[in-house]
Amino acid sequence: MTSFVTSADGTRIAYEAQGSGPPLVLVGGALNDRNSAGGYVPLLEDAFTVVRYDRRGRGESGDTQPWSVEREIEDLKAVAAEFDEPVSFYGHSSGAILGLAAVAAGLPVHRVVTYEPPFLTEQPEDWRAFAEQQRDLAAAGRPGDAVENFIRHVGAPWDPAMRQMPFWAGLEALGHTVTYDLQIVGDSSVPVEALGRIEAPLLSLYGGDSPQWAETSAEAVAAAVPGARALSVPGQTHNSDPAVLSPHLKAFLLG
């Protein structure tokens, strides 16, 4: 069942909580809404209250302007505050960066797991140019082109026929939020000072079959957060399999 919480600026944020046990908030990345993490629910709900939410501008959540990273941090804090104990969180890709920023800004958490935050991915000049393209497409009301540009840029397989597929409408509805994720990533540098303020235990995962930047990023996060460690998950890429990752989440978060 969908519930709603009101963020600090009055924006309604939609979330679902399923299962029993300590709360675990799942934070998705670009082109993800709360349904994108649905595969984790049956694998984790026996051990956790699994919380999925629509980040600002996605699904049933509002999109009050102007957007800022700080507003998204407030959204995550509002969702976490619905529970009577500090949450754990699992963040994927840019959602991992958002969660790390929230914890560094004071979000009380029990434990943290990240998967391939897109730090250290490419030269700042290339990243800035890509981010500017995405802002222009969003401002021009061309979410479909924003999605295509994103897919092409990250090197995922692209076929023009995708625009005719049943799933395309869902992606297009999220197209304007890609620029939000790019602003969360910033210049893709690691915020070492901010991460150094994180006191919660942290596990930094990356796929064994992912590009080199994923390992470099995961290791850099682990080096910046006191006591954290990085771990390679064999056979996984950036599009990780919930069935493979869930045992790692359980082992660490319940440890």
Side-chain angles (χ1 to χ4, degrees):
M1 183 178 69
T2 306
S3 300
F4 293 88
V5 64
T6 302
S7 192
D9 70 344
T11 303
R12 286 214 319 165
I13 302 298
Y15 73 93
E16 293 184 50
Q18 297 164 269
S20 59
L24 168 60
V25 180
L26 308 182
V27 188
L31 298 179
N32 280 198
D33 58 17
R34 73 178 190 267
N35 294 321
S36 304
Y40 283 97
V41 174
L43 300 168
L44 297 174
E45 63 181 352
D46 63 325
F48 304 97
T49 299
V50 183
V51 185
R52 300 173 291 141
Y53 78 105
D54 284 328
R55 285 175 48 196
R56 181 171 295 234
R58 308 165 194 233
E60 296 183 73
S61 289
D63 194 18
T64 307
Q65 298 295 313
W67 179 92
S68 71
V69 178
E70 290 73 21
R71 300 294 81 76
E72 287 232 32
I73 290 174
E74 290 170 354
D75 299 343
L76 179 50
K77 287 183 174 180
V79 172
E82 291 291 279
F83 301 91
D84 295 330
E85 60 186 292
V87 303
S88 291
F89 94 79
Y90 166 65
H92 178 268
S93 194
S94 54
I97 297 180
L98 172 60
L100 290 170
V103 176
L107 172 67
V109 293
H110 176 59
R111 291 190 171 217
V112 174
V113 180
T114 60
Y115 189 85
E116 298 191 2
F119 293 128
L120 308 172
T121 52
E122 52 192 311
Q123 294 300 314
E125 294 78 10
D126 296 334
W127 188 258
R128 283 195 292 266
F130 172 50
E132 185 174 340
Q133 290 173 357
Q134 292 300 107
R135 284 194 297 268
D136 290 344
L137 291 170
R142 297 166 56 191
D145 292 337
V147 173
E148 178 180 341
N149 192 48
F150 177 80
I151 292 174
R152 289 178 179 274
H153 185 84
V154 300
W158 170 256
D159 184 337
M162 289 170 62
R163 286 180 175 260
Q164 309 304 318
M165 298 293 182
F167 61 77
W168 182 258
L171 289 179
E172 191 169 34
L174 300 172
H176 70 288
T177 66
V178 172
T179 187
Y180 300 168
D181 289 278
L182 294 180
Q183 290 177 75
I184 288 171
V185 174
D187 64 2
S188 82
S189 62
V190 180
V192 175
E193 183 177 350
L195 296 183
R197 296 195 293 269
I198 294 176
E199 298 180 354
L202 184 144
L203 177 63
S204 181
L205 299 175
Y206 63 96
D209 290 347
S210 290
Q212 179 59 44
W213 70 258
E215 178 180 358
T216 304
S217 172
E219 294 284 359
V221 169
V225 176
R229 66 185 177 95
L231 178 67
S232 173
V233 185
Q236 295 303 289
T237 64
H238 195 62
N239 294 319
S240 52
D241 183 352
V244 175
L245 259 62
S246 290
H248 292 284
L249 297 181
K250 284 185 174 181
F252 179 74
L253 296 176
L254 297 176

